[in-house]
Each structure stands twice: as structure tokens, then as C-alpha cells.
């Protein structure tokens, strides 16, 4: 167990009026224990209590080597695992639950009266994860440095006659060569009008002259994620493409320059959105400005018009404005930003100047 | 919506005393609607009510093309999705919940008073999925036929100096060549003593003379899964290896011959387990005999000593006895079985005779 991290979770629990909670989400268990346990449909439960009666409930099918500073309680597929947990919880006190616990376990714990009430207490651990400690910052910086190296090489995949799927496959090979654990999400490769489609997955579309080329890509290194988007043009760029590119770049840079601790997330979103809206493209920036990132590509928390939370030193999130013109093109420019004492630094160094390739 | 499937779910709900339920698990939504919607951390909810007031609640980020015979209710990331669902449920009646709904949605629905009580009602849809209809049987047969073809070719991957990881990569390529959607799970390739380790993942282990070679593999075709295990020997087989192989084969064949509707799942497990126990290897058969399979490799329901449920015509599950001798070898032989009116047929035709390769 990382005691300092556990201490922060317990502190957050206290602020929420909780003395006990169950954490079941594997990335959060990894965050606190340093071990990846992927139970699939089976139960995994890290029980925390302010009195120090912490326990990790794990199915015997999985392995957790060595002493990790917490009592391990093993159960088999035929053992009453929820009953074993309920035998350990304080039935007279509210029980915090993390957001992804499967309904079948929660409903069974409720039937067993494991707590006096049940509260979604994910924010206790999500809030701790949102502020990176020194070790995490180093890992995030390394993952993004490797992503920069990858992006430099990805430019070489933009060739006559290539398909989106071929480029995506080439990216996976490059991530492997760079010694990463692979992509942190399926690389998004979109040519031309495909770049205007939200969640477009690489397909057999062939690159053609004048296409924009959108790469939204990231890798994992030491279990931490990177995530970056660059948009290029193949052989030539239309007037509209150039105009849109410069607006998106300005939104990206201006929002980054404005970031500092003490702001609200929604205020950062507004800086970027105002620039795009003033340029007349407001309706074509169809998503939030960014999302928190760390052990997961989408850690809890986002940079959106709805998020009133305060930005704090040590947070890392994406800054990814975009303009999408249906049937025509899409441009998005994304970096990961680390909030510092008096501003923010980008974890990505890859150039954002408009580039025509080929 | 597949009306006949929805009818079976509603029938199961009635037996459980439920007039309404929410299905959120993507494979179950696919089973009922024919559409794959993968919402990741976002909410997806198929609401069924015996009065016909069925609705599909989906985030606007996803696409569901065409008329699928159910009203679609779209919401954005900033809409109060749980409130929208609670506005539609009958607050005076118990509400069924499927087993994987994330705690944060369930706790919010509870706060909103969406039902008079909440019940894990997954079995209503899992029970329907467990009995395959005609179209599903055809798809399962095809997926296993392709898996047979693949296994025939996988034998060619057993070569001097090869590693487990190289064989696994070769398998993925063959599944692609055969026109499948890829493996239904990461192919398990274990050489020698590795075959005795539960959940061993392919690594850099190099094949050597006398090794057993365990392949536990499956593919997806038309969204349905296959799953089969064969164990070979490389260049030679020890006396112990031959003995264990024949015992496992006998357990596999005898259990298959015993299967018929009306039995309990635990009785089938016992047939195989008794053979292995009588041969003196009981403690080395360390898992259940099988699991149900369909849209997921592990559909709900298993062939274990603890399962008192009754086997019914149209069910498909694996029959996979094994003997694992730590530090030495492991043998498992697995087929998928379809329960018929008066017995069972194997969906796999690949030979189970002991084979020494190389």
C-alpha cells in the first residue's frame, strides 16, 4: 500500500463523513497497492476503515505476490464473498462504495446490511488520483515523451494509397518498438471528412490529396497513459482547412496560457470555446475541452462547461479543442497539461505548426 | 428488438415477480436489439416494462442506426440521465437491475426513488440467453467450425525453437485469415510445466522436446464465441503424460455421453470428476468442468459442483476436464456442447486422439 495515497483517500472520506468504504475498481486498487488485479466478472474489494482495519478481498484464481502491507482475504468461487466482506464492515455506519462496483455485489451487500446506508464515494479515491504525486508526474512525463517520439515517426506513415487501418497498425508497431506497453486506446486515424465524425474508427478509407489527417493517439508506459492529437494535411490544404487550423491552434495555445491553480475547469473550457465561437465556429466544437488522465486515459473529472470544480497544482488533463465541418474536414489539436504552482506546462513538445505532408 | 427474445425476458421477469427492469450490460442489449453499443463509463439502459413502455436510453455520443423497434431516448453528458430514467419507471413497483450496472447509476436511481425496491434480475435475461434460439445455434456452430479449421492449422505452428508468444501471434493471424472477428479471448499457449499453471499467459518460453503443448483458443464470428482446448506433445510423450492424457480424454468423452436435458449441471461435473478422482488425480483437477458460452465467452452459468440448475435443450456450454501436475505438465481437452432433445452434440470435430507432433 502506498501509505501517503491511502492517507489522502482517508482524508477525503472524512470530509465526506465516511469512516469506511469499499474500492473495487482495478485502476484504483492499483493506485493504492501497486498491483494490477483484473477480476473480470469476479469480486475484488479493497476495504478501508479509518480505524486501520483495512483488508483486500481477492478470488483465489488471481495472484498477488508478496507482502503489500494489507491483510489479504482469499475466497474461492464457491465461498460467500459478499458475506465475508459484510462480516468485516461496521453495520452501524454509512458505507462508501466506488462508482463502478457491479450491481449484483452492491445489492447483495445491501441485503446483508453491510452498512447503515450506502454512498457513491468514488470521489474520495478519484480526487486523490486527480492530483499526481512526484512518482506519478515522472511516469506521466515519460509516457508523453514517448508519445512525442511516436508522433514524430507517425508522420512517416502518411503515404500515397495508405488506408486508415494500415496507419493504425503501423502506429501499434511503432509503440511496441519504443518499448511502451502499447496504445492507451485504439489509435484514432481519420482522413478527410472522416475527421469530422465523432468516434470515427479507422477503416479502409484511402488517403487522397488535400485530405486532413487527424491522429488522436496515446501509449501506456509503467501503467500511465499519454494522449495527444495532431492534424496534418496531405499534399495541400484548402483555404477553409488553413483557417480552421489556425483557429483551433489559437484556442489550444490561449487556453494553455490561461491555466493556473484556483480557476474553475469550466473557465478553462470557456477560454478555448470563446475563441472558436468568436471566429464563427462555435456550433462545430461539439465536445468538452478535455479530460483528466493518469492510470486511465479517462480519469474521473473533465474540462467542460459544466464542471465547477477548482483546478489544483499537480492535476494533469488534456486540452483538445476541435472544429468539425461535416462532410468536409475536422481539426483537433491536443496536449496533456500539468498544472504547476503558478500556471501549467505541456507534457507534449511535438510541433503544432500547420504541416502539409507529402 | 427481437420480440421473441424480449418475450422470454418478460416471462422470466413475471416468474420473479417483476413488471419492470433495466438492462445495462452491452451483450444483453445486443442480444435483445441486435446492436452493439459500448458506452464505456457512460450510462446505457434498456428499460423493459410488461405494459410495453420499453425505452432505450443512450448517450448522444453513440450511434444506433435505423428503427430498432424501441423508442430511443437520447441524452448528452450534461443531461440528468438517471433522472430521465426515473421519470419513466413506476416508482410504486420493484425495479429489476442487471448484475453489472455500475454502483453510481444504481445509487442515483435509488436516491431518485425509481422503484419501490431493487432486485438483481440479471437471471431474467441471462436465463433467456442461456437457451439458444435457431439463429444463435447456427452462429455458434459456424464459430466452432471455424475454430476447428483454425486448430487444424495451429498444429503447424508447433516448431523447433518457437516461443509461446510467437505461437499466439500466429494464431491471431490465422483467425484473421479465416474471416473471423478475431480471438474471443487472448489465446492461451502453454508449453511443458507452464500448462500446469492456472491462467498462465503466453510468454517467451521456448518449446523443448517432450513438452506438452496446451492450446486453449477461440474466435468470434457474427458476435458469437467459440472456445476449445487441445493438448499435444512435442517430439515425445512421457509415460505420465500418456497416462494423464487418456484419463482426461475419458473424462471428456464420458461426461459428453452422459449429458441430457433434465440433469443438474453438478451431475455432469461429477461424471467427469469421478473418473479423474478414481484414477487418483482428483486433487489435480482444480477447476469447474465448464461454463456457458454465447455472445460472451463466459456467459452466466457454469458446469460446477455447486450448480444445482437443470440442463435444458438448446443450452451450449464447455466440457473441459483437466489434470495439472505442478512443475511437470498439464492436459486439458475442451469441446463446446449443444444440448439436444435427448442428449448432446459436440460443436467441435477436431480429433482428440493423443498426438505427438514434430
Amino acid at each position: 500500500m502506498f501509505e501517503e495515497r491511502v492517507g489522502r483517500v482517508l482524508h477525503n472520506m472524512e470530509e465526506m463523513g465516511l469512516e469506511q468504504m469499499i474500492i473495487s475498481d482495478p485502476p484504483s486498487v492499483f493506485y493504492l497497492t501497486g498491483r494490477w488485479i483484473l477480476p473480470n466478472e469476479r469480486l475484488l474489494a479493497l476495504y478501508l476503515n479509518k480505524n486501520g482495519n483495512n483488508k483486500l478481498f481477492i478470488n483465489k484464481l488471481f495472484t498477488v505476490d508478496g507482502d503489500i502491507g494489507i491483510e489479504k482475504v482469499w475466497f474461492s468461487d464457491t465461498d460467500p464473498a459478499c458475506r465475508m466482506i459484510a462480516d468485516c464492515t461496521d453495520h452501524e455506519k454509512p458505507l462508501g462504495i466506488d462508482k463502478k462496483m457491479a450491481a449484483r455485489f452492491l445489492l447483495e451487500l445491501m441485503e446483508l446490511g453491510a452498512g447503515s446506508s450506502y454512498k457513491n464515494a468514488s470521489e474520495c479515491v478519484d480526487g486523490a488520483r486527480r492530483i499526481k504525486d512526484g512518482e506519478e508526474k515522472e511516469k506521466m512525463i515519460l509516457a508523453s515523451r514517448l508519445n512525442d517520439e511516436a508522433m514524430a515517426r507517425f508522420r512517416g506513415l502518411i503515404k500515397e494509397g495508405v488506408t486508415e487501418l494500415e496507419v493504425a497498425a503501423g502506429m501499434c508497431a511503432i509503440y511496441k518498438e519504443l518499448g511502451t506497453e502499447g496504445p492507451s486506446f485504439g489509435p484514432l486515424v481519420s482522413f478527410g471528412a472522416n475527421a469530422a465524425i465523432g468516434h470515427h474508427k479507422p477503416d479502409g478509407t484511402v488517403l487522397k490529396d488535400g485530405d486532413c489527417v487527424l491522429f488522436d493517439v496515446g501509449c501506456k508506459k509503467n501503467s500511465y497513459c499519454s494522449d495527444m492529437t495532431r492534424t496534418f494535411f496531405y499534399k495541400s490544404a484548402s483555404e477553409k482547412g488553413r483557417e480552421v487550423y489556425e483557429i483551433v491552434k489559437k484556442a489550444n495555445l490561449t487556453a494553455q496560457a490561461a491555466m493556473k491553480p484556483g480557476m474553475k475547469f469550466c473557465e478553462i473550457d470557456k477560454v478555448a470555446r470563446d475563441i472558436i465561437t468568436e471566429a464563427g465556429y462555435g456550433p462545430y466544437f461539439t465536445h468538452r475541452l478535455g479530460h483528466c488522465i493518469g492510470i486511465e486515459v479517462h480519469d474521473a473529472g473533465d474540462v467542460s462547461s459544466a464542471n465547477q470544480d477548482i483546478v489544483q497544482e499537480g492535476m494533469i488533463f488534456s486540452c483538445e479543442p476541435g472544429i468539425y465541418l461535416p462532410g468536409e474536414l475536422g481539426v483537433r489539436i491536443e496536449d496533456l497539461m500539468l498544472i504547476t504552482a503558478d500556471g501549467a506546462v505541456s507534457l507534449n513538445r511535438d510541433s503544432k505548426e500547420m504541416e502539409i505532408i507529402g
Side-chain angles (χ1 to χ4, degrees), chain A:
Chain A
M1 299 271 274
F2 294 104
E3 288 310 325
E4 194 267 339
R5 295 180 187 174
V6 173
R8 285 165 61 202
V9 175
L10 287 169
H11 171 80
N12 292 344
M13 284 166 57
E14 191 169 0
E15 298 224 315
M16 211 183 260
L18 287 170
E19 296 187 11
Q20 57 178 353
M21 87 170 280
I22 294 174
I23 294 162
S24 54
D25 201 19
S28 290
V29 173
F30 171 78
Y31 172 73
L32 295 173
T33 67
R35 304 301 169 93
W36 273 112
I37 309 164
L38 297 171
N40 295 317
E41 75 268 26
R42 291 178 170 92
L43 180 65
L44 172 69
L46 175 61
Y47 175 72
L48 294 183
N49 192 307
K50 69 175 273 195
N51 67 13
N53 179 31
N54 305 331
K55 289 186 163 65
L56 181 63
F57 295 85
I58 332 166
N59 192 298
K60 287 177 186 165
L61 284 172
F62 306 102
T63 44
V64 180
D65 295 331
D67 178 6
I68 55 166
I70 182 170
E71 184 188 339
K72 298 173 204 161
V73 182
W74 299 96
F75 57 86
S76 73
D77 276 348
T78 48
D79 285 332
C82 284
R83 161 71 65 188
M84 291 160 73
I85 295 173
D87 283 347
C88 159
T89 57
D90 184 340
H91 297 200
E92 310 302 320
K93 300 257 169 72
L95 179 60
I97 299 290
D98 91 12
K99 60 183 185 289
K100 287 190 191 165
M101 177 181 272
R104 63 173 159 166
F105 302 129
L106 176 55
L107 288 167
E108 193 177 341
L109 288 168
M110 287 174 162
E111 236 171 69
L112 294 164
S116 61
S117 65
Y118 307 87
K119 193 179 170 72
N120 177 352
S122 267
E123 185 53 26
C124 299
V125 56
D126 293 344
R129 282 172 55 186
R130 201 172 297 128
I131 297 175
K132 271 61 183 174
D133 59 30
E135 184 186 327
E136 291 188 289
K137 281 180 205 162
E138 277 177 30
K139 288 181 175 168
M140 289 296 290
I141 288 167
L142 176 58
S144 277
R145 189 176 63 70
L146 289 165
N147 207 23
D148 276 343
E149 284 186 40
M151 188 64 89
R153 294 180 55 181
F154 292 171
R155 287 168 169 82
L157 299 170
I158 302 173
K159 286 176 192 164
E160 187 76 35
V162 80
T163 68
E164 293 173 351
L165 272 171
E166 286 163 358
V167 171
M171 289 171 165
C172 292
I174 287 170
Y175 277 134
K176 203 172 170 189
E177 285 167 25
L178 288 171
T180 74
E181 289 133 42
S184 49
F185 56 95
L188 297 178
V189 176
S190 305
F191 297 160
N194 289 347
I197 303 169
H199 286 83
H200 171 73
K201 283 195 182 144
D203 61 24
T205 301
V206 175
L207 185 63
K208 60 182 196 305
D209 289 10
D211 273 348
C212 65
V213 174
L214 188 152
F215 291 168
D216 187 347
V217 295
C219 59
K220 278 201 184 202
K221 179 69 181 177
N222 300 319
S223 291
Y224 281 77
C225 298
S226 58
D227 186 3
M228 169 173 43
T229 306
R230 290 292 181 267
T231 307
F232 310 105
F233 292 89
Y234 182 58
K235 294 220 166 153
S236 67
S238 63
E239 271 310 299
K240 181 61 71 75
R242 290 167 190 270
E243 179 194 339
V244 161
Y245 190 94
E246 294 304 327
I247 297 163
V248 172
K249 189 176 85 171
K250 185 177 169 197
N252 170 289
L253 293 171
T254 312
Q256 294 188 6
M259 293 175 187
K260 61 182 180 199
M263 292 177 82
K264 291 179 178 173
F265 281 102
C266 57
E267 291 170 339
I268 299 175
D269 181 271
K270 188 169 187 303
V271 171
R273 201 166 300 276
D274 281 353
I275 287 168
I276 291 174
T277 301
E278 280 159 25
Y281 289 97
Y284 303 100
F285 177 18
T286 47
H287 54 72
R288 61 191 180 185
L289 181 65
H291 55 84
C292 292
I293 181 167
I295 298 169
E296 292 175 282
V297 182
H298 285 191
D299 267 4
D302 65 10
V303 191
S304 73
S305 62
N307 190 352
Q308 302 277 330
D309 290 348
I310 302 295
V311 173
Q312 294 176 61
E313 187 179 348
M315 288 182 170
I316 296 178
F317 47 79
S318 66
C319 174
E320 46 181 308
I323 293 176
Y324 312 97
L325 305 181
E328 196 171 348
L329 58 82
V331 172
R332 182 164 62 248
I333 305 176
E334 173 187 22
D335 302 297
L336 294 192
M337 304 302 300
L338 165 64
I339 300 297
T340 57
D342 55 359
V345 293
S346 173
L347 303 189
N348 298 104
R349 306 286 175 84
D350 189 78
S351 167
K352 291 183 278 199
E353 293 306 305
M354 207 198 83
E355 287 178 55
I356 295 174
I357 293 180

